[in-house]
């Protein structure tokens, strides 16, 4: 039985994934409870990042944990990229909204991001490696962009039909 606080994750090609998120107006009890439920949902799905867009909440909020130990929570509210390294690298990405699909995406190898944390305090985060990639991937979600949109149209169409078929079969089962 799933915990009642787990949130359903939208699956590509759900059109709601292309919604552009609005800024969070206040870091209040509603947002704090959403953050908790998003972490629970992300950990339950073995993900390293989750954007509010993926749980059908269209506000600029991201939760991340790229640690092996699953105890290094990072909350980004209203994140803005202050700087992105011109040097880019192609790495394999996956997404909880695109289950079972992994493919290469080119990203800046380092970014500096300004955001509010879970207490509403402004922070600047200098990220590199997997964290930098994860932040860029999740910030794309807030703009309504899913990583498969970086792939060729042919690959994207193939992924789309594969997922539509899988969802149809899951409904029938
Ligand atoms: Ni994703």
């Amino acid at each position: 039985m799933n915990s009642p606080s787990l949130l359903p994750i939208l699956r590509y090609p759900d059109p709601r994934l292309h919604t552009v998120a609005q800024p969070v107006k206040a870091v209040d009890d509603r947002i704090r409870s959403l953050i908790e439920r998003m972490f629970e949902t992300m950990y339950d799905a073995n993900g390293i990042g989750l954007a509010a867009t993926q749980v059908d909440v269209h506000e600029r909020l991201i939760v991340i944990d790229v640690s092996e130990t699953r105890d290094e929570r990072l909350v980004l509210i209203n994140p803005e990229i202050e700087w992105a390294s011109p040097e880019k690298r192609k790495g394999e990405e996956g997404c909880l909204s695109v289950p079972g699909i992994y493919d290469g995406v080119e990203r800046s190898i380092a970014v500096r991001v300004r955001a509010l944390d879970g207490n509403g305090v402004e922070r600047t985060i200098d990220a590199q490696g997997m964290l930098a990639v994860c932040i860029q991937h999740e910030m794309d979600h807030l703009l309504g962009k899913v990583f498969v949109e970086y792939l060729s149209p042919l690959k994207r169409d193939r992924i789309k039909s594969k997922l539509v078929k899988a969802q149809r079969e899951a409904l029938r089962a």
Side-chain angles (χ1 to χ4, degrees), residues 49 96 119 161:
L96 294 178
N119 297 312
S161 28

Side-chain angles (χ1 to χ4, degrees), residues 17 49-51 54 93-98 107 134 137-138 141 145-147:
L17 285 168
L50 187 67
Q54 294 175 274
E93 291 185 23
C95 179
L96 294 178
S97 293
V98 195
R107 305 274 189 190
C134 187
H137 174 116
E138 301 308 331
H141 277 301
K145 187 160 186 177
V146 180
F147 85 97

Side-chain angles (χ1 to χ4, degrees), residues 100-118:
I101 306 289
Y102 302 88
D103 215 318
V105 178
E106 197 175 76
R107 305 274 189 190
S108 291
I109 63 166
V111 290
R112 171 173 293 160
V113 183
R114 195 165 30 139
L116 301 179
D117 67 11

Side-chain angles (χ1 to χ4, degrees), residues 36-163:
E36 281 312 307
R37 296 183 70 185
M38 282 174 61
F39 270 118
E40 235 184 285
T41 304
M42 182 192 82
Y43 287 130
D44 181 72
N46 293 315
I48 59 170
L50 187 67
T53 308
Q54 294 175 274
V55 293
D56 204 20
V57 176
H58 302 287
E59 294 174 65
R60 293 182 59 79
L61 165 61
I62 291 167
V63 301
I64 288 175
D65 187 345
V66 295
S67 73
E68 292 279 345
T69 43
R70 316 299 277 150
D71 59 0
E72 288 171 32
R73 294 174 170 218
L74 178 65
V75 175
L76 301 178
I77 297 171
N78 300 340
E80 298 295 339
I81 297 268
E82 290 215 314
W83 173 82
S85 68
E87 191 186 339
K88 295 186 176 192
R89 194 176 296 152
K90 196 174 196 173
E92 186 152 277
E93 291 185 23
C95 179
L96 294 178
S97 293
V98 195
I101 306 289
Y102 302 88
D103 215 318
V105 178
E106 197 175 76
R107 305 274 189 190
S108 291
I109 63 166
V111 290
R112 171 173 293 160
V113 183
R114 195 165 30 139
L116 301 179
D117 67 11
N119 297 312
V121 178
E122 191 172 283
R123 308 264 180 209
T124 300
I125 295 122
D126 282 300
Q128 47 193 313
M130 202 203 291
L131 180 58
V133 171
C134 187
I135 288 174
Q136 291 170 83
H137 174 116
E138 301 308 331
M139 285 186 70
D140 273 351
H141 277 301
L142 301 180
L143 296 173
K145 187 160 186 177
V146 180
F147 85 97
V148 296
E149 288 167 70
Y150 289 103
L151 309 178
S152 72
L154 179 69
K155 259 189 185 174
R156 197 168 54 234
D157 286 346
R158 224 180 270 154
I159 290 168
K160 211 180 270 183
S161 28
K162 193 173 166 185
L163 290 179

